[in-house]
Amino acid sequence: MFPAGPPSHSLLRLPLLQLLLLVVQAVGRGLGRASPAGGPLEDVVIERYHIPRACPREVQMGDFVRYHYNGTFEDGKKFDSSYDRNTLVAIVVGVGRLITGMDRGLMGMCVNERRRLIVPPHLGYGSIGLAGLIPPDATLYFDVVLLDVWNKEDTVQVSTLLRPPHCPRMVQDGDFVRYHYNGTLLDGTSFDTSYSKGGTYDTYVGSGWLIKGMDQGLLGMCPGERRKIIIPPFLAYGEKGYGTVIPPQASLVFHVLLIDVHNPKDAVQLETLELPPGCVRRAGAGDFMRYHYNGSLMDGTLFDSSYSRNHTYNTYIGQGYIIPGMDQGLQGACMGERRRITIPPHLAYGENGTDSIGFLQGSAPLRPFRSGEGQPSLGREGGYGKTEPAYPQDPAVLGASVSSPVKWASHADPQGDKIPGSAVLIFNVHVIDFHNPADVVEIRTLSRPSETCNETTKLGDFVRYHYNCSLLDGTQLFTSGETDAGSHEPSRPHFRGQRHDYGAPQEATLGANKVIEGLDTGLQGMCVGERRQLIVPPHLAHGESGARGVPGSAVLLFEVELVSREDGLPTGYLFVWHKDPPANLFEDMDLNKDGEVPPEEFSTFIKAQVSEGKGRLMPGQDPEKTIGDMFQNQDRNQDGKITVDELKLKSDEDEERVHEEL
């Protein structure tokens, strides 16, 4: 391994590579000799005392190798060692740059293999030796460990270790990627890892920011894919290496996990997963939407979910209240639709990401604003006549941090509740419903009675009807045909504060502020026996607060069937005559002619008027209670009887009141 030639005191200090190169001269001068017996010359003896389990490649003629060695004589005396110089041998084999015995001994060797080579004199330094270092006719013993091998014809070697079943896109030149990696030398020595840095490595591909081999090795990768990339030195750090961690002429091995990929020119990507039939309306800018979502990074890591909070996310779309990508991705959706929205970082949280996407106690939802602008209101003027409060934020909200008594727990993200910088976001969205503050009740007639309908419902009418009430996603809320599960006396979501037997038709006086405004409107103009479908926006239902069993800002779907209708009474009246009242009302009411009317006589008289068709009581009320209320109104001094001075018609009372005010 060391060159022949005149003695020199500096030979021991020469680098091994220089010594080995000089050997070529000695071999060329025929310094080898025959065996002492004149027989055939001995060959190199190779003892493979450690063979790695995996040997993807063996040394061949013309390969470039890096190895460590100890050189000794037969008696064990060391004459040279690369370990002592802390420098590997880096050289091409099989082209005469090494002593013949070393050239032969390295052939077929695997990385991390250990060999003991016994080199006879004619394959070493021959009969001349190396003055002052190696005597003539010396047999040399080398303990060698191979650490690297490559060839100038090599290319980047890519092995796919894991490829996800769904690949939305593959890396191309010009893309921006986020990936994790472990970097080792070919012998397994680790030199760097992204995992210890607490974040991915983020960079452009094919733009000169990476070594050439990594630029090539990342091409075609899918998010979530794992690859092993082996890069020869001339496509890595070459003959200079990199600092103290990567030696010169070192092959590099990277185990890479691609987290996500995007291009600065990317737009929002939409994929319809489920589209309900009969979509007649699509969401547009200015609509208020309720939706559920699961939010994940491109590698599948879940970072947030509305389902985990058992609450939809409610917001206006197309007005800057959520990140631009979500604003775009929700427009055009149908009620009940499920879609996947892929948002590049420049339409999400950008290169900085966000530190908090969960529920943080004591914080308020903030929205970044441009320089020179005032901070926008946290609420929004809705169709309810007051400022609508900001809803619990999801990670599609600019500057998402919210008020909540519970801190949202992170899922798979080792950083906790955080979206990394330059992260592509994927939302699987289920649109529950949406509406616009300008919406009115949508009325669709399902069926009408075959007979002629001369009278339809109007304000003031007393009506009886059956109904089913549900959300637009099909969730059943209440029905007039059965009892609400979990409650013996449920309150109807559409009926203001009253309780009813669900086994009987619902009863209401139209325009009396007893039912929600949208249902009141939808019941007007109906014929008895008619069936209708009503879609009631929340500002005409239970508004942003909702009601028992009804979520806030929910659009309600009613199917109603009118059972009966009766003309109602004017406001403030409990009883009216169909014609003029009796001329001598008190005398007719005083049945025993004693000058006073007790409750019994009053009740008998009123019931007689009703039965004879001369008048009628307020519909929908208990007649006994109504008559009792009428008596109490006429018994001015509350002495249990009505006198001629106390008895007055409501029209007379109203006239007297007008005169008093005048």
Side-chain angles (χ1 to χ4, degrees):
M1 280 186 64
F2 296 92
S8 171
H9 296 293
S10 64
L11 283 177
L12 289 176
R13 296 189 295 272
L14 285 174
L16 179 63
L17 179 59
Q18 296 180 24
L19 297 177
L20 295 177
L21 290 174
L22 294 176
V23 173
V24 178
Q25 303 173 10
V27 175
R29 290 196 296 267
L31 296 179
R33 65 182 181 86
S35 63
L41 297 177
E42 299 173 352
D43 203 349
V44 176
V45 176
I46 300 174
E47 179 186 346
R48 303 177 72 185
Y49 61 90
H50 175 73
I51 303 175
R53 292 183 179 180
C55 182
R57 175 175 186 168
E58 297 178 349
V59 175
Q60 299 179 4
M61 295 282 288
D63 282 348
F64 195 100
V65 295
R66 295 190 310 114
Y67 63 91
H68 265 308
Y69 76 95
N70 280 316
T72 61
F73 297 119
E74 186 174 5
D75 61 1
K77 181 180 178 182
K78 182 168 63 175
F79 61 83
D80 194 18
S81 173
S82 64
Y83 295 99
D84 294 345
R85 292 185 296 276
N86 197 29
T87 302
L88 290 95
V89 178
I91 200 169
V92 179
V93 297
V95 294
R97 295 183 181 180
L98 293 169
I99 58 173
T100 305
M102 182 62 79
D103 256 347
R104 294 181 182 181
L106 292 174
M107 291 297 126
M109 203 168 179
C110 304
V111 173
N112 284 327
E113 181 180 344
R114 294 179 181 272
R115 288 184 176 184
R116 191 178 194 206
L117 309 179
I118 302 176
V119 180
H122 69 279
L123 297 179
Y125 293 94
S127 58
I128 296 179
L130 188 62
L133 183 62
I134 297 176
D137 298 321
T139 299
L140 307 179
Y141 295 77
F142 293 97
D143 283 289
V144 180
V145 56
L146 184 68
L147 301 180
D148 200 347
V149 55
W150 57 273
N151 192 284
K152 64 181 181 179
E153 304 297 329
D154 284 350
T155 58
V156 175
Q157 300 175 48
V158 175
S159 302
T160 299
L161 308 179
L162 174 67
R163 191 178 181 90
H166 177 69
C167 182
R169 70 176 293 172
M170 294 184 290
V171 176
Q172 300 177 359
D173 279 335
D175 284 346
F176 190 90
V177 294
R178 297 174 52 246
Y179 62 90
H180 273 301
Y181 69 90
N182 286 315
T184 65
L185 303 180
L186 204 59
D187 67 338
T189 301
S190 177
F191 60 81
D192 194 18
T193 175
S194 64
Y195 294 96
S196 65
K197 298 178 173 64
T200 54
Y201 188 75
D202 306 345
T203 188
Y204 286 93
V205 175
S207 300
W209 295 97
L210 294 168
I211 56 175
K212 292 181 179 179
M214 184 62 86
D215 261 342
Q216 297 176 23
L218 292 173
L219 293 177
M221 279 193 84
C222 298
E225 182 178 342
R226 294 179 182 271
R227 279 187 179 182
K228 179 181 178 181
I229 303 173
I230 301 176
I231 303 174
F234 56 87
L235 295 176
Y237 293 97
E239 59 187 23
K240 294 183 179 180
Y242 187 82
T244 59
V245 293
I246 298 179
Q249 303 289 22
S251 300
L252 305 183
V253 180
F254 290 94
H255 284 81
V256 175
L257 168 61
L258 184 65
I259 301 301
D260 69 26
V261 52
H262 77 278
N263 193 285
K265 298 179 181 179
D266 283 349
V268 174
Q269 300 177 38
L270 301 179
E271 179 183 355
T272 299
L273 307 178
E274 180 182 339
L275 184 64
C279 176
V280 296
R281 175 177 177 179
R282 294 182 178 271
D287 284 346
F288 189 89
M289 179 179 288
R290 299 190 313 122
Y291 62 93
H292 271 302
Y293 68 90
N294 285 317
S296 62
L297 303 180
M298 213 170 190
D299 67 341
T301 300
L302 183 70
F303 58 77
D304 193 25
S305 172
S306 65
Y307 296 98
S308 67
R309 295 188 288 275
N310 197 30
H311 194 290
T312 56
Y313 184 69
N314 308 336
T315 186
Y316 286 89
I317 62 173
Q319 303 209 348
Y321 284 88
I322 49 181
I323 57 176
M326 186 63 88
D327 247 351
Q328 296 176 25
L330 291 174
Q331 295 187 50
C334 294
M335 296 184 191
E337 181 178 343
R338 296 178 185 270
R339 58 170 52 180
R340 179 178 291 123
I341 304 173
T342 302
I343 304 176
H346 52 275
L347 296 175
Y349 293 97
E351 61 186 26
N352 295 323
T354 179
D355 288 334
S356 177
I357 59 173
F359 283 173
L360 299 181
Q361 185 173 2
S363 59
L366 301 179
R367 174 178 176 263
F369 49 94
R370 299 180 181 87
S371 176
E373 292 182 338
Q375 184 170 351
S377 168
L378 297 181
R380 169 170 180 78
E381 284 297 327
Y384 312 131
K386 54 186 175 182
T387 299
E388 180 171 330
Y391 283 81
Q393 302 284 61
D394 75 354
V397 178
L398 292 168
S401 59
V402 293
S403 300
S404 172
V406 180
K407 185 180 186 297
W408 175 76
S410 81
H411 296 272
D413 184 1
Q415 299 300 307
D417 44 357
K418 177 179 180 179
I419 292 179
S422 301
V424 177
L425 306 184
I426 299 178
F427 291 94
N428 285 296
V429 172
H430 181 202
V431 178
I432 303 302
D433 64 35
F434 56 84
H435 72 280
N436 194 283
D439 285 350
V440 297
V441 178
E442 295 182 33
I443 300 174
R444 184 163 69 95
T445 299
L446 304 178
S447 66
R448 292 176 70 95
S450 57
E451 60 271 15
T452 303
C453 176
N454 295 320
E455 292 185 331
T456 59
T457 53
K458 60 184 180 302
L459 287 176
D461 281 357
F462 177 78
V463 296
R464 291 183 176 87
Y465 59 96
H466 282 301
Y467 76 96
N468 286 316
C469 177
S470 63
L471 301 178
L472 289 188
D473 66 350
T475 301
Q476 186 72 31
L477 296 179
F478 298 98
T479 175
S480 60
E482 61 185 26
T483 302
D484 180 24
S487 174
H488 297 294
E489 295 183 353
S491 59
R492 297 283 176 86
H494 67 282
F495 212 85
R496 297 186 183 273
Q498 299 193 22
R499 300 186 176 186
H500 296 270
D501 177 12
Y502 279 25
Q506 187 76 14
E507 299 177 347
T509 299
L510 300 182
N513 198 33
K514 296 297 184 180
V515 296
I516 58 174
E517 183 178 349
L519 183 57
D520 200 288
T521 300
L523 288 170
Q524 295 176 40
M526 289 187 75
C527 297
V528 173
E530 181 179 344
R531 293 179 59 245
R532 283 183 175 181
Q533 182 186 79
L534 311 176
I535 298 178
V536 182
H539 52 276
L540 299 177
H542 294 282
E544 62 192 37
S545 300
R548 180 181 176 185
V550 180
S553 301
V555 179
L556 301 183
L557 174 65
F558 287 95
E559 289 188 2
V560 296
E561 179 180 1
L562 186 63
V563 176
S564 65
R565 63 161 294 277
E566 298 178 42
D567 288 336
L569 300 185
T571 303
Y573 284 77
L574 299 176
F575 175 91
V576 295
W577 272 277
H578 293 155
K579 296 182 179 180
D580 291 337
N584 299 308
L585 179 58
F586 184 81
E587 287 78 1
D588 292 350
M589 192 178 294
D590 182 10
L591 301 180
N592 62 4
K593 308 306 179 184
D594 62 354
E596 57 187 25
V597 178
E600 297 79 10
E601 288 184 342
F602 184 84
S603 178
T604 300
F605 174 79
I606 295 298
K607 290 178 180 178
Q609 303 301 299
V610 173
S611 64
E612 295 170 8
K614 296 178 180 179
R616 57 192 175 91
L617 292 165
M618 174 183 287
Q621 302 293 327
D622 179 8
E624 296 294 342
K625 183 179 185 305
T626 301
I627 294 172
D629 290 341
M630 293 171 62
F631 181 85
Q632 291 295 325
N633 291 339
Q634 296 298 322
D635 184 11
R636 313 291 176 173
N637 59 8
Q638 301 297 306
D639 62 355
K641 57 184 179 295
I642 300 172
T643 65
V644 66
D645 295 332
E646 290 177 313
L647 183 63
K648 294 178 182 178
L649 297 178
K650 189 174 190 306
S651 58
D652 296 333
E653 291 178 345
D654 292 342
E655 185 176 351
E656 290 180 1
R657 187 174 298 112
V658 170
H659 285 297
E660 290 174 359
E661 292 174 353
L662 291 175

